[in-house]
Amino acid sequence: MRVGVLTGGGDCPGLNAVIRAVVRKGIEVHGWDFVGFRNGWNGPLTGDSRPLGLNDVEDILTRGGTILRSSRTNPYKVDGGVDKIKQVLADQGVDALIAIGGEDTLGVAKRLTDDGVGVVGVPKTIDNDLGATDYTFGFDTAVSIATEAIDRLHTTAESHHRALVVEVMGRHAGWIALHSGLAGGASVILVPERHFNVDQVVSWVERRFEKEFAPIIVVAEGALPEGGEEKLLTGEKDAFGHVRLGGIGTWLADEIAHRTGKESRAVVLGHVQRGGTPTAYDRVLATRFGLNAVDAVADGDFGVMVALKGTDIVRVKLSEATAELKTVPAERYQEAEVFFG
């Protein structure tokens, strides 16, 4: 059997760990051949590929990013895209695909399965917003990076007695903001799932100043003030219809400064949350996902995604995994509010 592997969407710590696990088990246990498609779905669209052997994955466990590179290519936005993929797979003798990605990449995987291509999905996103899995790899690393940044910002905020607004990633789901804010001892946490009242935020900030501490406000990039609109870096949409968000941190810092008379600054962590070596947790989770994805291919169980349920790795239908985003429930956010201000 010859198996193709690709990584799509935004890069994420742990992608290489999945590739390593897939290739090692596939070769050493089953004797399969592997081909890596470059740049997400653009690889099987254009035939851009490379062989993957044991030597190619020997030292990639700790490396961030992906040796296969990535893109946000959507083959269903390309004329004849599905037929091109089928032809490339036939020409290269590929019997099955393992697609590693988030909602967009796996959404394509689901549609390709419906169109007769054998695909197994592996959930990847730092946002932890994929349904049907308790956690995605990359999330723990992103939270750890954001938490370390918040820890460092506490000291400079206290030194200057200023408010610092930390903008983290999270378009529709506030998991990074919630977890890093709690772990970093933030004074306020703002998530996309709950529109915030600026007056209330200012009240929490002032309460913190009254205690003679400097407030740290963690805000997800997709968080919205009541009656407000998303802050966009650009109105241009990608192949999956997403615009680039950004700017809520700067806007909120300006509002806080204006309303309190206190110095306020914004810090946008941006892509640093995606970069660098994965945490031990993400390396292990990514490895387990890769090993179990190989089992699914060996069983001919296509149209599924491997998922974490409790401590077990299970298989769920791609249709279930991509049906809806996993967002922060109200009760989880309410638990955190006791620490605000």
Side-chain angles (χ1 to χ4, degrees):
M1 177 177 280
R2 195 167 202 226
V3 179
V5 184
L6 64 86
T7 55
D11 64 301
C12 177
L15 285 167
N16 286 323
V18 179
I19 297 169
R20 171 180 176 269
V22 164
V23 171
R24 289 194 61 172
K25 184 168 186 176
I27 292 176
E28 295 180 348
V29 175
H30 299 287
W32 296 343
D33 291 326
F34 284 91
V35 56
F37 288 105
R38 295 186 178 95
N39 300 311
W41 289 114
N42 189 64
L45 262 177
T46 63
D48 186 5
S49 65
R50 54 168 287 186
L52 285 176
L54 293 176
N55 288 340
D56 298 304
V57 300
E58 178 63 28
D59 61 350
I60 67 173
L61 176 65
T62 63
R63 288 170 58 181
T66 164
I67 62 170
L68 297 178
R69 299 198 294 268
S70 190
S71 75
R72 297 190 183 276
T73 302
N74 183 354
Y76 285 91
K77 294 290 186 180
V78 178
D79 288 341
V82 175
D83 291 335
K84 290 178 181 179
I85 286 179
K86 289 182 177 180
Q87 188 61 55
V88 166
L89 297 182
D91 290 345
Q92 299 199 16
V94 174
D95 303 294
L97 277 176
I98 294 177
I100 312 165
E103 59 169 322
D104 296 325
T105 301
L106 297 184
V108 170
K110 189 269 179 189
R111 294 182 67 179
L112 284 174
T113 299
D114 294 341
D115 288 329
V117 179
V119 187
V120 170
V122 177
K124 170 255 16 166
T125 168
I126 66 170
D127 291 330
N128 198 41
D129 61 357
L130 263 177
T133 185
D134 290 348
Y135 285 98
T136 54
F137 71 87
F139 172 66
D140 187 71
T141 303
V143 169
S144 297
I145 291 169
T147 300
E148 181 181 357
I150 294 167
D151 289 346
R152 292 176 180 274
L153 290 169
H154 272 293
T155 59
T156 186
E158 295 293 344
S159 296
H160 294 274
H161 203 56
R162 60 166 61 122
L164 286 180
V165 180
V166 185
E167 182 181 313
V168 300
M169 286 185 170
R171 174 184 296 275
H172 301 297
W175 292 107
I176 295 177
L178 180 67
H179 281 239
S180 64
L182 280 172
S187 309
V188 184
I189 301 169
L190 305 174
V191 298
E193 293 85 345
R194 182 166 177 170
H195 294 185
F196 62 88
N197 182 286
V198 180
D199 291 334
Q200 177 63 76
V201 172
V202 169
S203 176
W204 282 322
V205 167
E206 289 178 329
R207 187 190 310 171
R208 187 69 175 170
F209 276 129
E210 289 169 1
K211 297 175 182 177
E212 297 191 355
F213 292 107
I216 299 286
I217 301 92
V218 177
V219 57
E221 63 185 349
L224 285 172
E226 293 176 352
E229 297 180 348
E230 289 180 324
K231 303 301 179 182
L232 307 180
L233 287 179
T234 173
E236 183 180 351
K237 295 182 179 180
D238 65 18
F240 293 95
H242 303 309
V243 293
R244 290 180 61 194
L245 299 182
I248 187 64
T250 300
W251 178 87
L252 183 57
D254 290 343
E255 284 292 312
I256 290 171
H258 174 71
R259 298 185 185 213
T260 66
K262 299 286 188 180
E263 192 176 3
S264 182
R265 295 286 189 275
V267 178
V268 181
L269 297 186
H271 285 77
V272 70
Q273 296 160 89
R274 294 189 183 278
T277 186
T279 60
Y281 180 89
D282 278 340
R283 296 181 202 182
V284 172
L285 181 59
T287 297
R288 296 183 68 199
F289 279 158
L291 297 176
N292 281 270
V294 169
D295 291 341
V297 173
D299 293 340
D301 192 7
F302 300 118
V304 301
M305 180 189 82
V306 292
L308 179 69
K309 292 291 188 182
T311 58
D312 298 325
I313 305 296
V314 300
R315 300 175 196 171
V316 298
K317 293 293 184 183
L318 281 169
S319 56
E320 177 187 351
T322 58
E324 61 181 359
L325 292 177
K326 181 181 66 183
T327 55
V328 176
E331 58 270 20
R332 288 290 301 275
Y333 185 76
Q334 289 165 357
E335 286 176 351
E337 284 187 311
V338 69
F339 296 106
F340 293 0

